[in-house]
Amino acid sequence: MTDRPTGEHVLFEEVAHAYDQLPVEFFGSVGERLVRLAAVRSGDRVLDVGCGRGAVTVPAARAAGPTGSVLGIDLSPSMAEETGRLAQRSGLAWARTQVMDGQAPKLAPAVFDAVAGSMSVHMLDDLPAAYRAYRTLLRPGGRLGLAAPATDVAAGPGGHARVLGLRTIADMARTYTTGSGVYPNSESFGGQARLYADLSRCGFTDVQLMVENAFIRAGSAYDVVRWTWTHGMRRLWERIESPHRAALEERIAVEIAADHVVDGQVVIPVPVLYATAVRPEE
């Protein structure tokens, strides 16, 4: 299944049945934006690293069209299986999935026109090793695209940190996390300066970094609360003793209702870091 079992592998296998399946929009919009930034076009061969439930796989397959191909890889067999089924139901026969380690994909070199990883690559143990692997997999002139949560700008001096756009979750992360990877305790990819330097050292050129808001959209605050249990934040919840969880869930819901309801719908801005780079022509 994989040569590198990890805690993330176990986590995402646990949540695969519910991941991105609740009436909450976020991962899909980030994936679609990344596909556009990576300039996926008709005929492209695309690798989606950490495909989850298809947030990049599906829009990349639509952009590549039947003359192209998309391979989504994930450490979770259930994630890969469900995304493969989704691609088939969506009529995207040129998209397929495979259980594989995103840090060291065992694939032929110089095959792909684009390698993309949305909300996945930043969790790998050895980022430079992953970047070198992606450069090898890209054909000369191929594009790399990455997306991950950005440290909230409100976390600066005099500001208040937010995680998933919410102060309550940032407070929880500070109080309860011990290496869970939940922000604001660490920056994606070690920070923008490190990401730029690492990609450059690994042989990429035209490295572009940008932060822009994506939006969590839902019908109710309680939909968002339930959604926080269905992705990486689940590990944070598991570190909190059961008697305290209900009160924290209520605090999240109250903050959302007070600050993030627009015309009866929940809309929460979340800063996302996007990175693109190119394997130079040789």
Side-chain angles (χ1 to χ4, degrees):
M1 184 169 65
T2 175
D3 297 331
R4 192 179 57 87
T6 67
E8 286 79 12
H9 164 216
V10 174
L11 166 64
F12 287 105
E13 184 68 11
E14 289 174 354
V15 302
H17 67 287
Y19 185 86
D20 210 16
Q21 301 304 296
L22 296 178
V24 177
E25 177 189 335
F26 180 63
F27 295 117
S29 61
V30 174
E32 290 176 0
R33 178 63 172 148
L34 183 61
V35 168
R36 291 195 297 272
L37 290 172
V40 177
R41 49 189 175 262
S42 179
D44 275 353
R45 296 160 293 177
V46 182
L47 175 65
D48 176 13
V49 179
C51 64
R53 295 295 294 268
V56 167
T57 303
V58 169
R62 288 175 176 150
T67 60
S69 64
V70 177
L71 173 62
I73 62 173
D74 204 288
L75 277 173
S76 164
S78 296
M79 290 283 199
E81 182 179 359
E82 291 295 338
T83 295
R85 289 175 178 167
L86 173 61
Q88 295 304 307
R89 291 197 304 270
S90 302
L92 303 170
W94 52 95
R96 62 187 181 90
T97 58
Q98 189 171 345
V99 178
M100 192 177 297
D101 184 352
Q103 185 167 290
K106 295 181 178 178
L107 298 164
V111 167
F112 296 98
D113 299 289
V115 173
S118 182
M119 301 293 171
S120 57
V121 172
H122 68 292
M123 293 186 285
L124 297 176
D125 296 328
D126 189 340
L127 289 168
Y131 304 149
R132 290 190 294 270
Y134 305 153
R135 185 187 185 283
T136 298
L137 296 175
L138 285 167
R139 64 166 181 79
R143 290 95 58 202
L144 175 68
L146 305 172
T151 300
D152 197 304
V153 296
H160 198 303
R162 292 177 174 85
V163 169
L164 296 177
L166 300 172
R167 298 183 301 275
T168 302
I169 298 178
D171 292 340
M172 290 166 57
R174 286 197 201 91
T175 303
Y176 294 100
T177 190
T178 53
S180 71
V182 177
Y183 305 93
N185 297 288
S186 60
E187 292 188 78
S188 296
F189 308 111
Q192 293 188 46
R194 178 180 168 186
L195 175 58
Y196 187 97
D198 283 349
L199 289 175
S200 299
R201 279 194 293 265
C202 291
F204 285 97
T205 60
D206 195 24
V207 178
Q208 304 288 326
L209 307 179
M210 61 182 292
V211 175
E212 62 182 40
N213 280 339
F215 294 89
I216 296 172
R217 300 181 187 273
S220 76
Y222 291 100
D223 285 339
V224 177
V225 172
R226 289 193 302 133
W227 174 79
T228 64
W229 280 89
T230 67
H231 51 75
M233 190 180 157
R234 183 184 183 93
R235 277 291 179 262
L236 176 58
W237 281 118
E238 290 173 346
R239 294 175 185 276
I240 300 170
E241 294 179 0
S242 297
H244 302 300
R245 291 175 184 167
L248 289 168
E249 289 177 336
E250 186 64 23
R251 279 183 58 196
I252 293 170
V254 167
E255 180 183 350
I256 292 170
D259 299 338
H260 298 290
V261 175
V262 179
D263 296 330
Q265 298 293 305
V266 172
V267 182
I268 306 173
V270 180
V272 174
L273 170 63
Y274 296 95
T276 57
V278 175
R279 175 178 176 174
E281 299 282 357
E282 298 172 347

